[in-house]
Amino acid sequence: MSDDAQAEAGTAEGQGPVEISEDLARHLDNKRDELFEKFEIRDEFPSAVLDEAEARTEDVQAEISDEIDDRTDLRDLTTWTTDPIDAQDFDDAISIEEREDEYVLWVHIADVTHYVHPESAMWEEAVERSNTVYLPGYTIHMLPPVLAETVCSLVPNEERLAHTVEMHLDKEHLGYENIEIYKSVIESDERLTYSQAENRLDDPDAPLHEENTLVHELADRMHEQRKEDGSLVLNPSRDRAHTIIEECMLKANKAVTHTLMWDRGVEAMYRVHPQPSPDEWSEALREIQDLDGVSIPGDTWDDPRKAVNATLEQAPGRQLDKIQWAVMKVMPRAKYMNDPFGGHHALNFEIYGHFTSPIRRLSDLINHWIVYQNDVPENLIELCDRASDKQKDAEQCEREYKQFLQEVSLDPMAVNNRGIEVVDESEAEKTL
């Protein structure tokens, strides 16, 4: 068994799907229908949208060949994707180089707006849905899956159209020396799962070992720097592969919205996260301090975000959920706005917005369009409100569905990680 295969064998996915009876499956179907109606979530695509998606995914190679001359050709650049084992679409890829006085980090995002634009039925449907809704074992996509599975999936050894964010970072303080955002053609070298990426970091002889090692060193520094600057880190034990992807995507999102705000002076869909009041923060910190075995370091009380970060690093594992919950309770809801005023409190960024997931978030799709056109949709404020409202609906729907799963004795995390298989009654009884 190869290292990569071994890495997958011990995962939740390796245990096989959660088995349920036909009767319980009907209950789940009914519950989902009830929730979709309550939150106005569309589960099926209109035929016009599906037809349009099918038509846009024909003659892929011919279309890419026609586009190459008008784009930056990055097919020879070493590029790879890192995603969960069960990911259905690979919409972001990275490349990295170390030069004498700088790092160059490329984040390549599937060029969704090449296929989905304001004149298209798919765009209209994306506005209607505003995001992909993830329920344990069930996904309601923002865009027809055929796009994510073909032209907008950065699969290995296939040419793909991308929107690339090229960042030249100062070696000493990792600030942006230069940011370029452009349309490109890329060819991914490999699709890694998170556990495979971990293996590559440990194995000096493995393909992409050097690239993963270099990008992890950079990501780890970016992560530590964010914490020092006062960014809230609620998950201190994240593994190296997740750290790479999270930090690279944060850096790209920030680069794009900085470029729009400072260099181009155009509006965008910014992500604004207000801060809790001083009283709310005090309440959260007191609740954390009262937990058994938990102590907030005395020199951090003045900055609640740093206090939480320091506490999470030292607290016993059994208290992590309670600390996170104490913070989440006082956090206001982040929202999309056409003005970044107020910044993003949890990340401690003055300006922030989304760009790296245009397959599953309306905000990213619209920011791709704004970057490309250097112009904003007339109804931008309305779109910001729509995206904020539908995200709230999606989160509430997910919460209620998880609650229902627990009521019928199913573990939402197991269902989410392993999926569901319907078996006949006698088989289901054996497994219960």
Side-chain angles (χ1 to χ4, degrees):
M1 188 187 275
S2 73
D3 281 351
D4 288 346
Q6 209 165 354
E8 308 309 355
T11 62
E13 297 83 1
Q15 298 169 29
V18 175
E19 295 183 346
I20 63 169
S21 69
E22 290 170 6
D23 194 32
L24 184 49
R26 272 193 299 278
H27 274 309
L28 297 186
D29 283 346
N30 292 339
K31 184 63 182 180
R32 284 196 301 268
D33 289 344
E34 179 194 310
L35 290 172
F36 296 160
E37 194 173 331
K38 177 178 176 180
F39 294 108
E40 297 183 354
I41 292 169
R42 282 206 230 203
D43 192 23
E44 291 186 7
F45 286 96
S47 54
V49 174
L50 291 175
D51 292 346
E52 186 181 78
E54 287 288 349
R56 291 302 281 117
T57 55
E58 289 167 7
D59 297 326
V60 176
Q61 198 48 52
E63 187 166 355
I64 292 173
S65 300
D66 289 345
E67 280 279 315
I68 284 177
D69 290 347
D70 298 325
R71 291 174 175 253
T72 304
D73 187 348
L74 299 178
R75 288 173 297 176
D76 291 339
L77 186 66
T78 300
T79 299
W80 72 99
T81 61
T82 307
D83 294 277
I85 187 172
D86 57 351
Q88 292 156 353
D89 53 85
F90 318 119
D91 59 357
D92 55 80
I94 54 177
S95 306
I96 181 90
E97 274 182 22
E98 182 176 10
R99 296 181 183 168
E100 199 176 325
D101 55 352
E102 65 177 8
Y103 295 106
V104 187
L105 174 65
W106 292 263
V107 172
H108 317 278
I109 308 299
D111 188 4
V112 180
T113 52
H114 181 79
Y115 305 96
V116 182
H117 50 79
E119 310 301 312
S120 65
M122 287 187 287
W123 179 280
E124 210 172 295
E125 187 68 14
V127 171
E128 172 65 38
R129 293 171 177 242
S130 291
N131 50 46
T132 292
V133 181
Y134 296 99
L135 304 180
Y138 198 92
T139 303
I140 304 99
H141 296 274
M142 181 177 84
L143 291 168
V146 67
L147 278 184
E149 289 160 7
T150 58
V151 292
C152 295
S153 191
L154 308 178
V155 291
N157 308 314
E158 296 269 351
E159 294 173 356
R160 285 288 181 262
L161 302 180
H163 215 153
T164 292
V165 185
E166 179 180 323
M167 295 163 276
H168 294 251
L169 306 175
D170 175 271
K171 269 195 168 167
E172 198 178 333
H173 51 75
L174 306 184
Y176 303 108
E177 293 287 310
N178 187 30
I179 299 167
E180 294 173 46
I181 311 166
Y182 49 81
K183 301 269 187 149
S184 61
V185 179
I186 68 161
E187 187 172 325
S188 172
D189 293 276
E190 199 171 353
R191 171 275 204 265
L192 297 181
T193 65
Y194 283 119
S195 46
Q196 284 173 336
E198 289 286 329
N199 281 346
R200 299 303 171 88
L201 284 162
D202 291 332
D203 181 356
D205 300 323
L208 296 176
H209 167 75
E210 281 177 27
E211 291 84 355
N212 272 283
T213 302
L214 177 60
V215 81
H216 176 253
E217 284 168 8
L218 177 62
D220 194 46
R221 280 185 62 196
M222 292 195 292
H223 182 74
E224 290 305 317
Q225 189 182 65
R226 265 202 312 118
K227 277 201 311 198
E228 257 171 56
D229 291 345
S231 197
L232 186 63
V233 178
L234 284 180
N235 184 356
S237 57
R238 177 147 280 193
D239 63 39
R240 294 171 297 175
H242 280 88
T243 298
I244 290 169
I245 297 305
E246 182 175 44
E247 296 301 331
C248 289
M249 297 309 134
L250 281 172
K251 201 75 171 171
N253 282 333
K254 194 175 171 184
V256 169
T257 35
H258 267 252
T259 300
L260 288 172
M261 181 75 190
W262 297 123
D263 300 348
R264 301 195 190 180
V266 299
E267 290 181 311
M269 267 178 104
Y270 295 102
R271 187 78 171 151
V272 175
H273 184 238
Q275 56 184 324
S277 70
D279 285 350
E280 286 170 324
W281 259 130
S282 296
E283 182 191 323
L285 293 181
R286 271 199 306 274
E287 191 176 320
I288 291 168
Q289 179 78 355
D290 288 345
L291 291 170
D292 181 43
V294 174
S295 174
I296 296 174
D299 59 347
T300 64
W301 278 85
D302 290 349
D303 186 335
R305 288 167 298 195
K306 288 187 176 178
V308 172
N309 288 350
T311 306
L312 278 166
E313 284 182 4
Q314 298 171 10
R318 61 194 159 82
Q319 301 291 22
L320 293 188
D321 285 353
K322 289 176 188 156
I323 296 170
Q324 290 161 349
W325 178 234
V327 174
M328 295 308 291
K329 276 192 301 192
V330 299
M331 280 288 168
R333 170 174 287 283
K335 49 189 182 288
Y336 293 106
M337 301 186 76
N338 65 322
D339 182 323
F341 179 70
H344 196 293
H345 175 67
L347 289 171
N348 197 26
F349 291 168
E350 280 179 33
I351 297 171
Y352 188 64
H354 289 148
F355 186 80
T356 55
S357 293
I359 283 275
R360 61 184 179 90
R361 283 191 303 229
L362 180 65
S363 59
D364 307 51
L365 184 71
I366 285 170
N367 282 338
H368 272 246
W369 188 252
I370 292 170
V371 168
Y372 172 49
Q373 294 290 316
N374 213 35
D375 197 11
V376 299
E378 282 174 24
N379 60 337
L380 182 62
I381 293 175
E382 194 185 307
L383 291 167
C384 288
D385 291 344
R386 173 99 191 143
S388 299
D389 291 345
K390 292 305 285 180
Q391 184 186 35
K392 186 178 176 181
D393 288 344
E395 286 171 7
Q396 189 59 33
C397 180
E398 183 189 354
R399 210 169 4 253
E400 292 189 23
Y401 189 62
K402 281 180 173 172
Q403 206 173 330
F404 180 74
L405 289 178
Q406 286 169 332
E407 285 166 15
V408 295
S409 303
L410 287 173
D411 175 358
M413 194 178 279
V415 170
N416 197 45
N417 290 338
R418 293 160 51 193
I420 277 178
E421 186 180 352
V422 181
V423 296
D424 66 38
E425 308 296 326
S426 56
E427 286 300 313
E429 277 167 20
K430 280 184 212 165
T431 62
L432 289 175

